[in-house]
Short mmCIF file of all heavy atoms in Angstrom, two decimals:
data_model
loop_
_atom_site.label_atom_id
_atom_site.label_comp_id
_atom_site.label_asym_id
_atom_site.label_seq_id
_atom_site.Cartn_x
_atom_site.Cartn_y
_atom_site.Cartn_z
N LEU A 110 151.02 142.94 99.76
CA LEU A 110 149.66 143.11 99.41
C LEU A 110 148.82 143.46 100.67
O LEU A 110 149.04 142.90 101.74
CB LEU A 110 148.99 141.90 98.80
CG LEU A 110 149.62 141.28 97.48
CD1 LEU A 110 148.95 140.06 97.06
CD2 LEU A 110 149.64 142.33 96.40
N SER A 111 147.94 144.44 100.56
CA SER A 111 146.99 144.71 101.60
C SER A 111 145.93 143.61 101.70
O SER A 111 145.85 142.79 100.79
CB SER A 111 146.32 146.07 101.42
OG SER A 111 145.46 145.96 100.26
N ASN A 112 145.19 143.56 102.75
CA ASN A 112 144.04 142.65 102.81
C ASN A 112 143.06 142.80 101.70
O ASN A 112 142.57 141.83 101.16
CB ASN A 112 143.33 142.71 104.15
CG ASN A 112 144.15 142.06 105.29
OD1 ASN A 112 145.02 141.24 105.03
ND2 ASN A 112 143.89 142.51 106.49
N GLN A 113 142.83 144.04 101.29
CA GLN A 113 141.89 144.29 100.14
C GLN A 113 142.47 143.77 98.86
O GLN A 113 141.79 143.09 98.10
CB GLN A 113 141.68 145.80 99.99
CG GLN A 113 140.70 146.16 99.01
CD GLN A 113 140.44 147.61 98.90
OE1 GLN A 113 141.02 148.42 99.60
NE2 GLN A 113 139.43 148.00 98.03
N GLN A 114 143.74 143.97 98.62
CA GLN A 114 144.37 143.39 97.42
C GLN A 114 144.39 141.90 97.42
O GLN A 114 144.08 141.28 96.35
CB GLN A 114 145.79 143.95 97.28
CG GLN A 114 145.90 145.43 96.93
CD GLN A 114 147.28 145.97 97.07
OE1 GLN A 114 148.04 145.55 97.97
NE2 GLN A 114 147.66 146.85 96.14
N LEU A 115 144.64 141.35 98.59
CA LEU A 115 144.58 139.84 98.68
C LEU A 115 143.15 139.38 98.41
O LEU A 115 142.92 138.33 97.78
CB LEU A 115 145.00 139.37 100.10
CG LEU A 115 145.20 137.88 100.28
CD1 LEU A 115 146.19 137.33 99.29
CD2 LEU A 115 145.63 137.60 101.73
N GLY A 116 142.18 140.14 98.84
CA GLY A 116 140.82 139.79 98.62
C GLY A 116 140.51 139.79 97.06
O GLY A 116 139.71 138.99 96.63
N TYR A 117 141.12 140.68 96.35
CA TYR A 117 140.94 140.71 94.92
C TYR A 117 141.47 139.40 94.32
O TYR A 117 140.89 138.87 93.40
CB TYR A 117 141.61 141.91 94.23
CG TYR A 117 141.05 143.31 94.57
CD1 TYR A 117 141.87 144.40 94.69
CD2 TYR A 117 139.66 143.41 94.81
CE1 TYR A 117 141.40 145.61 94.99
CE2 TYR A 117 139.15 144.71 95.12
CZ TYR A 117 139.99 145.75 95.21
OH TYR A 117 139.47 147.01 95.48
N VAL A 118 142.65 138.98 94.80
CA VAL A 118 143.22 137.77 94.26
C VAL A 118 142.32 136.58 94.58
O VAL A 118 142.06 135.75 93.70
CB VAL A 118 144.62 137.53 94.87
CG1 VAL A 118 145.20 136.23 94.46
CG2 VAL A 118 145.55 138.69 94.45
N PHE A 119 141.77 136.51 95.80
CA PHE A 119 140.90 135.38 96.17
C PHE A 119 139.63 135.44 95.30
O PHE A 119 139.16 134.46 94.84
CB PHE A 119 140.44 135.60 97.66
CG PHE A 119 141.50 135.23 98.67
CD1 PHE A 119 141.18 135.36 99.99
CD2 PHE A 119 142.75 134.80 98.32
CE1 PHE A 119 142.13 135.04 100.96
CE2 PHE A 119 143.70 134.45 99.28
CZ PHE A 119 143.39 134.60 100.65
N SER A 120 139.07 136.66 95.16
CA SER A 120 137.81 136.82 94.37
C SER A 120 137.93 136.50 92.89
O SER A 120 137.01 136.11 92.24
CB SER A 120 137.27 138.23 94.57
OG SER A 120 136.97 138.45 95.91
N ALA A 121 139.19 136.74 92.35
CA ALA A 121 139.36 136.49 90.95
C ALA A 121 139.07 135.04 90.64
O ALA A 121 138.45 134.68 89.61
CB ALA A 121 140.79 136.89 90.57
N PHE A 122 139.52 134.09 91.46
CA PHE A 122 139.24 132.66 91.25
C PHE A 122 137.75 132.43 91.21
O PHE A 122 137.22 131.79 90.29
CB PHE A 122 139.86 131.87 92.28
CG PHE A 122 139.46 130.43 92.21
CD1 PHE A 122 140.13 129.49 91.37
CD2 PHE A 122 138.33 129.85 92.94
CE1 PHE A 122 139.67 128.18 91.27
CE2 PHE A 122 137.92 128.63 92.77
CZ PHE A 122 138.59 127.80 91.94
N VAL A 123 137.09 132.93 92.21
CA VAL A 123 135.60 132.63 92.33
C VAL A 123 134.89 133.24 91.14
O VAL A 123 133.92 132.61 90.67
CB VAL A 123 135.08 133.17 93.69
CG1 VAL A 123 133.58 132.95 93.79
CG2 VAL A 123 135.83 132.55 94.88
N LEU A 124 135.23 134.41 90.69
CA LEU A 124 134.58 135.02 89.57
C LEU A 124 134.76 134.22 88.29
O LEU A 124 133.87 133.91 87.56
CB LEU A 124 135.07 136.46 89.34
CG LEU A 124 134.38 137.15 88.23
CD1 LEU A 124 132.97 137.44 88.46
CD2 LEU A 124 135.09 138.58 88.03
N GLY A 125 136.01 133.81 88.06
CA GLY A 125 136.29 132.94 86.87
C GLY A 125 135.60 131.61 86.98
O GLY A 125 135.09 131.16 85.94
N TYR A 126 135.55 131.01 88.13
CA TYR A 126 134.83 129.78 88.36
C TYR A 126 133.39 129.92 88.09
O TYR A 126 132.79 129.15 87.36
CB TYR A 126 135.07 129.34 89.78
CG TYR A 126 134.64 128.00 90.18
CD1 TYR A 126 135.38 126.86 89.86
CD2 TYR A 126 133.36 127.81 90.88
CE1 TYR A 126 134.93 125.56 90.22
CE2 TYR A 126 132.95 126.55 91.21
CZ TYR A 126 133.73 125.46 90.90
OH TYR A 126 133.29 124.19 91.24
N ALA A 127 132.75 130.93 88.62
CA ALA A 127 131.34 131.19 88.44
C ALA A 127 130.95 131.43 86.99
O ALA A 127 130.00 130.88 86.45
CB ALA A 127 130.84 132.31 89.31
N LEU A 128 131.76 132.23 86.27
CA LEU A 128 131.41 132.61 84.96
C LEU A 128 131.62 131.50 83.93
O LEU A 128 131.05 131.49 82.91
CB LEU A 128 132.32 133.83 84.54
CG LEU A 128 131.98 135.13 85.15
CD1 LEU A 128 132.95 136.21 84.74
CD2 LEU A 128 130.53 135.56 84.82
N PHE A 129 132.42 130.51 84.29
CA PHE A 129 132.70 129.49 83.41
C PHE A 129 132.00 128.13 83.69
O PHE A 129 132.21 127.18 82.93
CB PHE A 129 134.24 129.20 83.23
CG PHE A 129 134.65 128.68 81.96
CD1 PHE A 129 134.59 129.54 80.82
CD2 PHE A 129 135.11 127.41 81.76
CE1 PHE A 129 134.97 128.99 79.55
CE2 PHE A 129 135.45 126.89 80.51
CZ PHE A 129 135.39 127.70 79.44
N GLN A 130 131.13 128.08 84.66
CA GLN A 130 130.39 126.82 84.95
C GLN A 130 129.50 126.45 83.78
O GLN A 130 129.63 125.30 83.33
CB GLN A 130 129.47 127.08 86.21
CG GLN A 130 130.21 127.08 87.49
CD GLN A 130 130.53 125.73 87.98
OE1 GLN A 130 129.70 124.80 87.96
NE2 GLN A 130 131.77 125.51 88.30
N ALA A 131 128.67 127.33 83.30
CA ALA A 131 127.83 126.96 82.14
C ALA A 131 128.56 126.66 80.90
O ALA A 131 128.32 125.62 80.22
CB ALA A 131 126.72 128.03 81.93
N PRO A 132 129.55 127.49 80.48
CA PRO A 132 130.31 127.17 79.33
C PRO A 132 131.11 125.81 79.50
O PRO A 132 131.22 125.04 78.53
CB PRO A 132 131.30 128.32 79.20
CG PRO A 132 130.60 129.45 79.82
CD PRO A 132 129.87 128.86 80.96
N GLY A 133 131.53 125.59 80.74
CA GLY A 133 132.22 124.27 81.05
C GLY A 133 131.28 123.07 80.76
O GLY A 133 131.62 122.08 80.21
N GLY A 134 129.98 123.25 81.15
CA GLY A 134 129.04 122.23 80.90
C GLY A 134 128.74 122.03 79.46
O GLY A 134 128.60 120.92 78.93
N ARG A 135 128.69 123.13 78.75
CA ARG A 135 128.43 123.08 77.30
C ARG A 135 129.63 122.33 76.62
O ARG A 135 129.39 121.57 75.68
CB ARG A 135 128.32 124.47 76.73
CG ARG A 135 128.03 124.58 75.27
CD ARG A 135 126.59 124.11 75.06
NE ARG A 135 126.26 124.25 73.63
CZ ARG A 135 125.71 123.32 72.93
NH1 ARG A 135 125.37 122.20 73.42
NH2 ARG A 135 125.49 123.48 71.65
N LEU A 136 130.86 122.64 77.04
CA LEU A 136 132.00 121.92 76.48
C LEU A 136 131.91 120.42 76.73
O LEU A 136 132.23 119.58 75.83
CB LEU A 136 133.29 122.48 77.02
CG LEU A 136 133.73 123.93 76.59
CD1 LEU A 136 134.89 124.45 77.38
CD2 LEU A 136 134.03 123.91 75.05
N ALA A 137 131.49 120.06 77.95
CA ALA A 137 131.37 118.63 78.24
C ALA A 137 130.32 117.99 77.43
O ALA A 137 130.50 116.82 77.02
CB ALA A 137 131.06 118.47 79.72
N ASP A 138 129.22 118.64 77.18
CA ASP A 138 128.20 118.12 76.32
C ASP A 138 128.69 117.94 74.86
O ASP A 138 128.36 116.99 74.20
CB ASP A 138 126.96 119.07 76.31
CG ASP A 138 126.15 119.00 77.55
OD1 ASP A 138 126.30 118.10 78.34
OD2 ASP A 138 125.45 120.01 77.76
N ARG A 139 129.48 118.92 74.42
CA ARG A 139 129.90 118.92 72.98
C ARG A 139 131.05 117.93 72.72
O ARG A 139 131.08 117.20 71.78
CB ARG A 139 130.24 120.30 72.61
CG ARG A 139 130.74 120.29 71.13
CD ARG A 139 130.81 121.65 70.53
NE ARG A 139 131.31 121.56 69.20
CZ ARG A 139 131.14 122.42 68.32
NH1 ARG A 139 130.51 123.55 68.57
NH2 ARG A 139 131.63 122.31 67.07
N PHE A 140 132.07 118.03 73.65
CA PHE A 140 133.29 117.24 73.41
C PHE A 140 133.46 116.04 74.29
O PHE A 140 134.45 115.28 74.13
CB PHE A 140 134.53 118.15 73.57
CG PHE A 140 134.55 119.36 72.64
CD1 PHE A 140 134.29 120.57 73.05
CD2 PHE A 140 134.77 119.11 71.22
CE1 PHE A 140 134.33 121.67 72.25
CE2 PHE A 140 134.82 120.18 70.34
CZ PHE A 140 134.57 121.49 70.83
N GLY A 141 132.59 115.87 75.26
CA GLY A 141 132.67 114.69 76.11
C GLY A 141 133.35 115.05 77.41
O GLY A 141 134.33 115.79 77.43
N PRO A 142 132.94 114.37 78.48
CA PRO A 142 133.50 114.71 79.77
C PRO A 142 135.02 114.27 79.90
O PRO A 142 135.76 114.99 80.55
CB PRO A 142 132.72 113.88 80.76
CG PRO A 142 132.03 112.85 80.00
CD PRO A 142 131.87 113.44 78.56
N ARG A 143 135.42 113.17 79.24
CA ARG A 143 136.81 112.74 79.36
C ARG A 143 137.73 113.83 78.87
O ARG A 143 138.74 114.16 79.49
CB ARG A 143 137.00 111.43 78.61
CG ARG A 143 138.42 110.88 78.70
CD ARG A 143 138.54 109.61 77.93
NE ARG A 143 138.30 109.98 76.50
CZ ARG A 143 138.58 109.22 75.45
NH1 ARG A 143 139.09 108.06 75.67
NH2 ARG A 143 138.34 109.65 74.27
N ARG A 144 137.45 114.31 77.65
CA ARG A 144 138.35 115.35 77.14
C ARG A 144 138.30 116.60 77.89
O ARG A 144 139.41 117.28 78.15
CB ARG A 144 137.93 115.70 75.63
CG ARG A 144 138.31 114.60 74.66
CD ARG A 144 137.86 114.98 73.30
NE ARG A 144 138.20 113.96 72.36
CZ ARG A 144 137.44 113.57 71.36
NH1 ARG A 144 136.29 114.20 71.13
NH2 ARG A 144 137.82 112.61 70.58
N VAL A 145 137.16 117.03 78.32
CA VAL A 145 137.08 118.31 79.04
C VAL A 145 137.69 118.20 80.39
O VAL A 145 138.42 119.10 80.86
CB VAL A 145 135.54 118.78 79.15
CG1 VAL A 145 135.41 119.99 79.95
CG2 VAL A 145 135.05 119.02 77.72
N ILE A 146 137.49 117.04 81.11
CA ILE A 146 138.15 116.87 82.41
C ILE A 146 139.66 116.84 82.26
O ILE A 146 140.34 117.50 82.96
CB ILE A 146 137.59 115.65 83.10
CG1 ILE A 146 136.14 115.88 83.56
CG2 ILE A 146 138.48 115.25 84.23
CD1 ILE A 146 135.44 114.64 84.13
N ALA A 147 140.13 116.08 81.22
CA ALA A 147 141.58 116.07 81.00
C ALA A 147 142.13 117.45 80.77
O ALA A 147 143.18 117.81 81.35
CB ALA A 147 141.85 115.10 79.83
N LEU A 148 141.55 118.18 79.88
CA LEU A 148 141.99 119.57 79.62
C LEU A 148 141.91 120.38 80.86
O LEU A 148 142.86 121.17 81.21
CB LEU A 148 141.19 120.18 78.43
CG LEU A 148 141.61 121.56 78.15
CD1 LEU A 148 143.02 121.69 77.61
CD2 LEU A 148 140.60 122.15 77.14
N GLY A 149 140.83 120.30 81.58
CA GLY A 149 140.61 121.04 82.82
C GLY A 149 141.73 120.72 83.89
O GLY A 149 142.34 121.66 84.51
N VAL A 150 142.15 119.45 84.05
CA VAL A 150 143.10 119.10 85.00
C VAL A 150 144.48 119.66 84.54
O VAL A 150 145.24 120.25 85.43
CB VAL A 150 143.20 117.54 85.10
CG1 VAL A 150 144.47 117.10 85.85
CG2 VAL A 150 141.98 117.01 85.80
N VAL A 151 144.80 119.59 83.34
CA VAL A 151 146.15 120.18 82.84
C VAL A 151 145.99 121.70 83.00
O VAL A 151 147.04 122.30 83.47
CB VAL A 151 146.35 119.77 81.35
CG1 VAL A 151 147.50 120.53 80.74
CG2 VAL A 151 146.65 118.26 81.23
N TRP A 152 144.92 122.28 82.66
CA TRP A 152 144.78 123.69 82.73
C TRP A 152 144.94 124.19 84.18
O TRP A 152 145.70 125.11 84.49
CB TRP A 152 143.34 124.07 82.25
CG TRP A 152 143.02 125.50 82.20
CD1 TRP A 152 142.63 126.33 83.23
CD2 TRP A 152 142.95 126.33 81.04
NE1 TRP A 152 142.36 127.57 82.77
CE2 TRP A 152 142.56 127.62 81.43
CE3 TRP A 152 143.27 126.09 79.65
CZ2 TRP A 152 142.44 128.64 80.51
CZ3 TRP A 152 143.15 127.15 78.77
CH2 TRP A 152 142.70 128.40 79.21
#
């Protein structure tokens, strides 16, 4: 991989992380933090 391609790999995590913060909070509100954290850890 070039540095640019490696940058895409690095950025993919951050993009997924940023986009799922609010939905992750909604899931914790709806299903409870214990279930969501457990699923998140396995995921």
